[in-house]
Amino acid sequence: MRNPFILSVLLSALALPALSDQALLSGVPEDDSRFWRGVPSSAGEALSDAGFQIIRAEGNARALRDALARVLARIDQDETVVIHLSGHFAQANSGTWYLGATATGTDLAQVGSVGVSLDVILEIAGRVPGGAFLVLGEPERRLSHGVGLRAGIGPMDIPQGVTVLQGPEPDLTRYAASVLYRPGADLDEVLLGQDAITASGFLPSGHAIVVSDAVPSEPDTSFAQERDFWQSVLRDNTEAAYRDYLQRYPNGVFRGEANARLQDILNDPARRAEEAEAALSLSRSERRRIQADLTELGFSTRGVDGIFGGGTRAAIRGWQQGQGREVTGFVDAEQVSQLRRQANARREEAAAQAAADDALWDRIGGMDARRRDLRDYLNRYPDGRHAEDARSTLQMLNEIRNSRASRAEQDDWIAALRANTAAGYRAFIAAHPRGVFTAAARARLEEIAGPSRDDAREQERALNLNPVTRLLVERRLSQLRLSPGSVDGTFTPETREAISRFQQSRDLTVSGYIDQATITKMLAEIGITFRRN
């Protein structure tokens, strides 16, 4: 709705002498440090360089009305008028008002005193048909208004010959300074692909805000090529893409926006880190190595699968925080190298500790150790490689020592258990026919007797163990320090004794021969499923 009273006041203002085309700016920064050398530092500088007289209106609605009066006073002498408003807008059923860049919320009863009607501004622009440009930029954060008002720009009744451009801030003003306000910038071309900036109203072919004085002798295809390349840069939206554009087109139409977007990336640590990791082009195996290194250092990635999901990103952030690094969740080449060095050092330390653990276990006699030595081992290696065996052995010895058997029977029973032979158990039964552990000795003797040697041999033969499986059996027995002899795939008497010790420690039938239960248990411990040939 147009206000004839306000318009009459504006028309009554004193006219200014004709100087040049006019540009009224409100809420538009006088300087924007986001632009680099060689590009206008603001929309006002760009228009001033193009020969426009700049009129600024900051503060309250009265300042904007005064500035509009100055524009209106000499508008009939202008070929082009630009009215660039950046800030908050409010709308109701009766129209839209511009409130300024520093406005606060208002309501329908007060909006006329704190804002300027967009209908009035459009009517003023309509006095320069074909040469009027209304540029409207809104911030991302919108105000909350009272009764009858809501934030934003409502429907506009655009007069004939007026071009209206709308977009978000600060992108719109930035783009205007670097592109829209350049001489000869065809709106059809420079707005192509700029989805956030919309144009409405008067839009003839070849329409430009600032008319170029140059008269081209031939159609210029260079801008079309630059524009197409710029669209591909926007799709990539990476530091490398913007640098590539600036290298190819150091004085290009979009250099201001390219510099600004590049600065956005450089000022965003997470974005910069993400691009640095992407530049490594990590293969899946390389990603698995990084996950394995993080896991080795105590940072769970929730799987070593070569996929950097939430678990891996959280592990990277945890490691970065522990190193006093910028926490981004992404790695660069230097961090990958540091991870590998630290993980390898941890692996070497673990290997040395495991060797010391094994050496102490061997020195005390393993499962034949005395209770005092077992306690010493557990004090030093509570989570050691042999801690489980040490605890079970210590528990057994404690139970024996705490029994009501005589000391002699206790000593003989411990000796029989450690020998774990039929002869040993028979000797114990003969020495203690009515002892506390005699029944247990007879049960052990039955277990050892088990199936006949011929039956056990036949069961092993039926499995048809191939040379590789035999080697795996001997290697596992050797890993468990059960003394199987040479690891060569040949089962010797030493191997048979080692198999018997394994079967006893796993509560299997003790025969010294491999049966289905023994091979399944043994290979399962090293992550292999046995399949009969």
Side-chain angles (χ1 to χ4, degrees):
M1 180 180 70
R2 295 167 184 165
N3 190 322
F5 174 74
I6 294 177
L7 189 60
S8 64
V9 171
L10 295 173
L11 285 168
S12 66
L14 293 175
L16 296 174
L19 296 173
S20 60
D21 291 331
Q22 299 182 91
L24 189 159
L25 309 181
S26 179
V28 179
E30 294 190 38
D31 178 67
D32 191 338
S33 60
R34 301 168 70 90
F35 295 99
W36 289 7
R37 186 183 306 174
V39 180
S41 63
S42 69
E45 182 181 334
L47 289 168
S48 179
D49 290 346
F52 281 76
Q53 179 194 5
I54 306 301
I55 301 172
R56 289 191 173 272
E58 307 299 342
N60 55 29
R62 177 165 185 167
L64 179 57
R65 292 191 185 100
D66 290 343
L68 285 169
R70 293 175 61 190
V71 172
L72 188 60
R74 45 157 292 187
I75 200 165
D76 293 336
Q77 305 170 42
D78 293 328
E79 292 185 4
T80 304
V81 169
V82 175
I83 301 176
H84 188 146
L85 308 177
S86 176
H88 297 283
F89 294 81
Q91 58 175 301
N93 294 335
S94 54
T96 297
W97 290 263
Y98 171 64
L99 306 179
T102 59
T104 57
T106 184
D107 58 28
L108 185 58
Q110 300 293 327
V111 69
S113 62
V114 297
V116 177
S117 168
L118 200 57
D119 287 336
V120 171
I121 296 171
L122 283 165
E123 186 168 346
I124 292 172
R127 289 179 170 270
V128 189
F133 298 87
L134 184 57
V135 182
L136 308 176
E138 292 185 271
E140 182 178 352
R141 183 187 65 83
R142 293 195 168 190
L143 298 177
S144 297
H145 296 295
V147 177
L149 281 185
R150 57 188 181 277
I153 300 172
M156 291 179 283
D157 183 10
I158 303 175
Q160 183 69 32
V162 176
T163 302
V164 178
L165 302 174
Q166 293 176 250
E169 293 292 15
D171 293 345
L172 175 61
T173 295
R174 180 193 304 168
Y175 196 66
S178 60
V179 178
L180 297 178
Y181 296 160
R182 283 173 58 94
D186 185 337
L187 294 181
D188 283 340
E189 293 186 337
V190 298
L191 292 178
L192 184 65
Q194 291 291 329
D195 296 335
I197 301 175
T198 62
S200 54
F202 183 62
L203 291 167
S205 177
H207 200 35
I209 297 176
V210 180
V211 178
S212 174
D213 294 332
V215 180
S217 57
E218 300 179 351
D220 184 11
T221 61
S222 60
F223 177 76
Q225 294 172 348
E226 180 183 350
R227 180 196 61 203
D228 292 343
F229 184 71
W230 175 244
Q231 294 305 312
S232 69
V233 169
L234 289 177
R235 285 192 295 271
D236 289 345
N237 194 32
T238 63
E239 177 184 349
Y242 293 122
R243 290 193 185 280
D244 190 15
Y245 170 82
L246 292 168
Q247 184 175 3
R248 292 194 187 194
Y249 300 100
N251 297 310
V253 171
F254 307 101
R255 70 187 185 277
E257 186 175 3
N259 279 321
R261 287 176 178 267
L262 181 59
Q263 285 296 102
D264 284 342
I265 292 174
L266 295 177
N267 292 332
D268 182 350
R271 174 67 180 277
R272 191 172 64 250
E274 183 177 2
E275 291 197 5
E277 182 181 291
L280 298 178
S281 300
L282 296 169
S283 66
R284 189 155 184 175
S285 62
E286 289 171 329
R287 289 173 180 266
R288 280 196 292 265
R289 286 178 59 188
I290 292 171
Q291 290 174 321
D293 289 344
L294 287 164
T295 302
E296 181 67 35
L297 294 171
F299 299 95
S300 173
T301 59
R302 289 187 287 182
V304 180
D305 53 9
I307 300 173
F308 280 10
T312 302
R313 295 300 176 195
I316 292 172
R317 287 193 292 270
W319 175 79
Q320 289 171 330
Q321 185 173 18
Q323 299 298 308
R325 289 180 171 273
E326 195 170 51
V327 179
T328 64
F330 297 91
V331 293
D332 56 24
E334 193 276 328
Q335 292 181 29
V336 171
S337 297
Q338 184 178 4
L339 265 172
R340 174 47 49 90
R341 291 193 302 271
Q342 291 180 351
N344 284 341
R346 179 68 60 83
R347 292 184 184 101
E348 291 173 2
E349 178 184 345
Q353 185 173 2
D357 184 332
D358 291 341
L360 178 58
W361 183 248
D362 290 342
R363 189 162 62 250
I364 67 174
M367 295 178 70
D368 293 334
R370 295 173 300 176
R371 287 192 296 171
R372 182 182 63 190
D373 291 334
L374 290 170
R375 284 192 291 266
D376 289 344
Y377 172 85
L378 289 171
N379 286 335
R380 185 166 181 180
Y381 298 109
D383 299 313
R385 289 154 59 85
H386 309 283
E388 183 178 349
D389 288 339
R391 287 191 179 92
S392 62
T393 302
L394 185 59
Q395 181 180 357
M396 178 193 71
L397 294 175
N398 286 335
E399 289 173 354
I400 293 172
R401 292 305 185 194
N402 293 330
S403 70
R404 58 186 178 83
S406 66
R407 185 62 181 233
E409 182 183 350
Q410 291 177 5
D411 292 342
D412 289 347
W413 179 233
I414 291 172
L417 288 174
R418 285 173 171 166
N420 196 35
T421 63
Y425 291 123
R426 289 191 188 99
F428 176 84
I429 294 170
H432 307 280
R434 296 183 181 179
V436 173
F437 301 105
T438 302
R442 288 195 175 97
R444 293 268 186 167
L445 186 59
E446 290 177 5
E447 288 179 8
I448 287 179
S452 69
R453 183 176 297 272
D454 290 341
D455 289 342
R457 185 184 297 111
E458 187 58 35
Q459 287 182 26
E460 181 178 286
R461 185 180 296 114
L463 294 176
N464 194 22
L465 302 176
N466 60 38
V468 173
T469 304
R470 288 174 172 269
L471 280 171
L472 289 173
V473 168
E474 291 179 326
R475 285 176 183 167
R476 180 57 180 158
L477 293 170
S478 179
Q479 290 171 353
L480 295 172
R481 298 183 176 274
L482 296 176
S483 305
S486 299
V487 179
D488 54 9
T490 301
F491 287 178
T492 64
E494 289 177 298
T495 310
R496 297 297 176 192
E497 288 293 329
I499 292 172
S500 295
R501 286 190 284 271
F502 176 83
Q503 290 168 329
Q504 180 192 357
S505 67
R506 302 306 190 266
D507 292 327
L508 300 170
T509 300
V510 180
S511 66
Y513 287 84
I514 299 294
D515 56 16
Q516 182 71 45
T518 301
I519 191 66
T520 300
K521 179 71 173 174
M522 187 177 294
L523 296 185
E525 291 181 1
I526 56 175
I528 298 176
T529 301
F530 175 72
R531 291 182 176 84
R532 188 185 298 232
N533 292 322

